[in-house]
Amino acid sequence: MKKHIVWDWNGTLFNDIEITAQYNIDCLKKAGRSGLSIEDIRHNHTRPLSEFFELLLGHPLSAEELAVFIDGYSEVYDPIMYDLPLQDDALQALDKIKAAGGSQSILSMAPHDELVSLVRHNGIYERFERVEGATNMAREFKVDALREHCDRLGVDPAQVCVIGDTIDDFDAATGVGASSVLVSTGMHTHERLVETGAPVATSLLGAVAEALK
């Protein structure tokens, strides 16, 4: 059976964890919770974002406060996103899938146009059968997007393995009947990922080795 790999982008192929986590730290400090580290963010980050803030602040953000948080991220992220790197072993991992005869795509909750631009900028767009970001930014979870992604690709979810850095990637894969391998390079700690029961790798090459089994 031919294996199809669906890659997550942010924190998985794309190494933007530090800026993303630091933005969360800065916003939480403004909201009254100081002294947080990047590891604190990784240990507590969850979806929906309202639950994440309630967990660390002790109260939920209002809809207006949450909108300010979401809108403010692009002001910090956009000016530097083209300077951020792929993970060190990203190209090797993509090559390994191709060499094994597998196909691959990207599915991200990042805005679609931004995602396509970044993938092209990093010179890897042509490696994927489909590169798909979010067109509905109100969508909190990835499972419906993954189902639609598989439909557009014309692949059976049973042939799909999702490689991602968060529990949401695991939940999305499970929700459509796909497998998953999680990698502890991004927004969730290794320990949290292990709790899902999915294979967890510390590198993309390790994740690909698991996915191709």
Side-chain angles (χ1 to χ4, degrees):
M1 180 174 69
K2 182 182 178 183
K3 180 74 74 172
H4 181 83
I5 306 298
V6 175
W7 289 97
D8 175 57
W9 177 246
N10 303 94
T12 303
L13 284 170
F14 196 52
N15 187 358
D16 60 356
I17 174 61
E18 288 192 16
I19 183 173
T20 301
Q22 188 60 51
Y23 178 73
N24 281 266
I25 290 169
D26 294 342
C27 287
L28 284 158
K29 184 176 182 179
K30 291 176 184 178
R33 179 69 190 273
S34 59
L36 294 171
S37 67
I38 289 177
E39 285 305 295
D40 291 327
I41 298 301
R42 297 181 72 225
H43 183 73
N44 290 283
H45 186 269
T46 191
R47 288 182 179 274
L49 287 174
S50 55
E51 291 185 7
F52 167 62
F53 284 107
E54 183 172 1
L55 181 64
L56 289 177
L57 292 173
H59 61 82
L61 292 182
S62 68
E64 292 77 13
E65 289 172 321
L66 192 58
V68 169
F69 167 81
I70 293 171
D71 292 344
Y73 182 65
S74 62
E75 296 176 10
V76 173
Y77 191 83
D78 289 1
I80 67 167
M81 63 183 180
Y82 292 109
D83 297 322
L84 299 173
L86 298 173
Q87 300 288 359
D88 290 342
D89 58 348
L91 297 182
Q92 292 171 284
L94 298 177
D95 287 343
K96 188 171 184 177
I97 294 169
K98 182 179 179 181
S103 56
Q104 47 198 326
S105 60
I106 295 176
L107 176 66
S108 173
M109 299 296 280
H112 178 75
D113 290 344
E114 173 187 297
L115 172 67
V116 169
S117 181
L118 282 170
V119 175
R120 289 190 182 280
H121 174 76
N122 281 278
I124 58 174
Y125 185 86
E126 301 303 328
R127 293 171 179 254
F128 303 101
E129 293 195 4
R130 191 173 188 91
V131 175
E132 192 164 17
T135 55
N136 177 8
M137 298 308 295
R139 179 177 273 170
E140 288 278 8
F141 300 103
K142 200 168 188 174
V143 60
D144 290 336
L146 179 59
R147 185 177 293 108
E148 293 164 7
H149 186 72
C150 291
D151 286 345
R152 293 185 183 108
L153 286 166
V155 298
D156 181 349
Q159 296 177 266
V160 168
C161 183
V162 175
I163 300 180
D165 67 310
T166 70
I167 294 170
D168 189 41
D169 293 304
F170 168 78
D171 288 340
T174 302
V176 303
S179 61
S180 62
V181 177
L182 303 177
V183 60
S184 54
T185 55
M187 282 302 288
H188 289 175
T189 61
H190 189 91
E191 293 74 17
R192 292 181 68 195
L193 298 177
V194 167
E195 289 175 358
T196 66
V200 180
T202 58
S203 68
L204 299 188
L205 279 172
V208 167
E210 286 287 344
L212 293 175
K213 284 183 178 179

